[in-house]
Amino acid sequence: MTDPVIVASGQTYERRSIQKWLDSGERTCPKSRQPLAHLSLAPNYALKNLILQWCDKHMVELQKREPEPAAETEEHKEDIPSLVEGMSSIHPDVQRKAVKKIRRLSKECPENRTLIADNGGIPALIGLLACPDKKVQENTVTSLLNLSIDDKNKVLIARGGAIPLVIEILRNGTPEAQENSAATLFSLSMLDENKAAIGSLGGLAPLVELLRSSGTARGKKDAATAIFNLVLSPQNKARATQAGIVPALVKVMDDKGLGMVDEALSIFLLLSSHAACRAEIGTTAFVEKLVRLIKDGNSTPKNKECALSVLLELGTNNRPLLVHGLRFGLHEDLSKIAKNGTSRAQRKANLLIQLARKL
């Protein structure tokens, strides 16, 4: 997958593949088979960043599109310095046109991102984040998202003071700007120093708000991915809990149409390693929810695996909770998963069986 996009059902596909599916006359989601409310394809920036990070780590060259004609590339090289200058213009119309072009160019290829950064594009973009024009904000934060694909730019963007401004757009921007702000915070949080900064500057509360809003599936997935990355940092676990992450995640789990049970449980697993967070998560009602997922024949193997992991973490630290879960006839399900589940699920099921024997 090189160009992941999200369809109306919330599922992600490679752009070329899903476009071929739609061009053939199909109007349903290939995975869920549910009718698509619209045929728009939204870029999955969070997944694209993960793919690029993986390729960089494993020294894999990402498949590239057909190169642009040389003349057009040279024209872009000449355009970029004047566009960067235009973003600092005193004339709003010039600013608007310049940042719109920078957004497009920063998405197209790594060379453009390098040229934009080398020509002072990052400080110029950061200067536009506080612009009262909502469309300019949207194009600006999306340009920074594109630039943040490169690790050196992550550092420059954060140290240039962008994080609090991106958080403000996450709170008050257009729906698209809010989603792209969430994706930008995720991208920046790939660096540990930025995890701490985003948390201390109040980034978790608006991410949680986006997660529980009535927004798009793409926005919720970007918010969940950013939250997951941020709570890898211990100090952000308590911040997320204070921001209301627990009821927000429960709501996400209960919304079957979102298909985000695994994402929610993955965050719950990280939170359950923190004593204060575990106290809020560790309720009999939540344990019963985990048990239903484990016993439900319609749950995916990954759902069961994640639910087992969270139950094990809670049960290890609070034996009465595990006793409560076992009252619902869980022994038989644990035995089945220990034989037929995923390798990780088998390990978790066996550990729960051993723990249950000690009760």
Side-chain angles (χ1 to χ4, degrees):
M1 199 177 269
T2 62
D3 189 9
V5 294
I6 303 170
V7 298
S9 65
Q11 298 292 336
T12 296
Y13 300 97
E14 170 63 24
R15 183 185 293 276
R16 287 171 297 178
S17 299
I18 190 63
Q19 192 62 62
K20 184 177 180 181
W21 171 265
L22 297 174
D23 290 345
S24 71
E26 296 286 350
R27 294 297 179 264
T28 59
C29 170
K31 183 176 181 182
S32 68
R33 293 296 176 181
Q34 68 185 79
L36 295 173
H38 58 78
L39 302 183
S40 299
L41 304 177
N44 189 331
Y45 291 110
L47 181 57
K48 180 64 177 285
N49 274 320
L50 281 175
I51 291 169
L52 292 168
Q53 291 281 341
W54 186 92
C55 289
D56 183 60
K57 180 179 178 180
H58 295 277
M59 294 181 289
V60 173
E61 185 176 357
L62 192 65
Q63 180 182 345
K64 295 187 174 79
R65 297 177 181 177
E66 290 296 317
E68 296 178 355
E72 189 175 349
T73 303
E74 290 301 320
E75 182 183 344
H76 286 172
K77 287 180 181 178
E78 294 173 6
D79 277 351
I80 285 171
S82 62
L83 290 173
V84 170
E85 185 178 346
M87 288 192 294
S88 301
S89 171
I90 61 172
H91 302 291
D93 285 347
V94 176
Q95 287 182 335
R96 277 193 290 270
K97 290 176 182 177
V99 74
K100 184 177 180 181
K101 288 183 180 179
I102 287 289
R103 174 180 177 171
R104 177 174 57 81
L105 291 174
S106 62
K107 181 183 177 181
E108 287 180 352
C109 68
E111 184 181 6
N112 285 346
R113 291 192 286 274
T114 299
L115 287 169
I116 291 167
D118 289 348
N119 281 278
I122 290 175
L125 285 165
I126 293 172
L128 282 179
L129 285 172
C131 176
D133 186 316
K134 296 293 187 182
K135 193 63 182 179
V136 169
Q137 287 183 5
E138 183 182 304
N139 286 329
T140 302
V141 79
T142 308
S143 298
L144 287 172
L145 170 60
N146 295 336
L147 292 176
S148 73
I149 290 171
D150 301 332
D151 277 350
K152 66 178 182 179
N153 289 342
K154 288 180 174 65
V155 175
L156 295 173
I157 291 168
R159 292 182 182 175
I163 290 175
L165 297 169
V166 172
I167 291 172
E168 183 58 30
I169 294 174
L170 177 60
R171 289 193 184 102
N172 299 309
T174 66
E176 183 176 349
Q178 288 179 322
E179 293 175 359
N180 290 347
S181 295
T184 302
L185 292 179
F186 161 72
S187 182
L188 295 177
S189 71
M190 297 299 290
L191 301 183
D192 287 341
E193 64 185 86
N194 291 343
K195 286 184 177 70
I198 293 167
S200 65
L201 290 167
L204 280 156
L207 284 170
V208 170
E209 185 59 34
L210 180 59
L211 186 64
R212 65 184 170 208
S213 72
S214 57
T216 66
R218 174 200 158 195
K220 292 177 186 293
K221 287 179 184 291
D222 282 343
T225 309
I227 291 167
F228 176 86
N229 222 33
L230 289 171
V231 297
L232 289 169
S233 178
Q235 61 266 42
N236 284 335
K237 290 179 169 65
R239 290 174 179 143
T241 304
Q242 291 165 5
I245 187 62
V246 173
L249 288 174
V250 169
K251 182 180 177 183
V252 166
M253 285 178 64
D254 290 341
D255 187 344
K256 303 303 181 186
L258 273 179
M260 290 179 58
V261 173
D262 295 341
E263 289 89 337
L265 288 174
S266 296
I267 297 172
F268 272 130
L269 182 58
L270 290 176
L271 295 175
S272 63
S273 65
H274 187 281
C277 304
R278 190 165 56 242
E280 183 167 349
I281 299 168
T283 65
T284 54
F286 184 69
V287 166
E288 290 170 19
K289 190 178 292 289
L290 294 176
V291 169
R292 285 195 293 272
L293 278 171
I294 294 167
K295 295 177 69 65
D296 188 352
N298 294 320
S299 292
T300 67
K302 184 67 174 177
N303 286 168
K304 293 179 185 289
E305 177 187 307
C306 291
L308 284 168
S309 298
V310 178
L311 182 61
L312 178 61
E313 186 69 33
L314 294 176
T316 300
N317 291 279
N318 188 333
R319 299 299 175 89
L321 281 178
L322 181 57
V323 171
H324 181 75
L326 292 171
R327 289 175 183 158
F328 296 90
L330 197 55
H331 289 90
E332 183 179 349
D333 298 277
L334 292 176
S335 297
K336 288 180 181 177
I337 295 171
K339 293 178 182 178
N340 304 315
T342 65
S343 57
R344 184 165 177 253
Q346 287 178 7
R347 291 196 301 272
K348 301 298 180 181
N350 280 315
L351 288 170
L352 279 166
I353 291 169
Q354 293 172 23
L355 192 58
R357 287 171 180 162
K358 297 176 183 178
L359 298 175

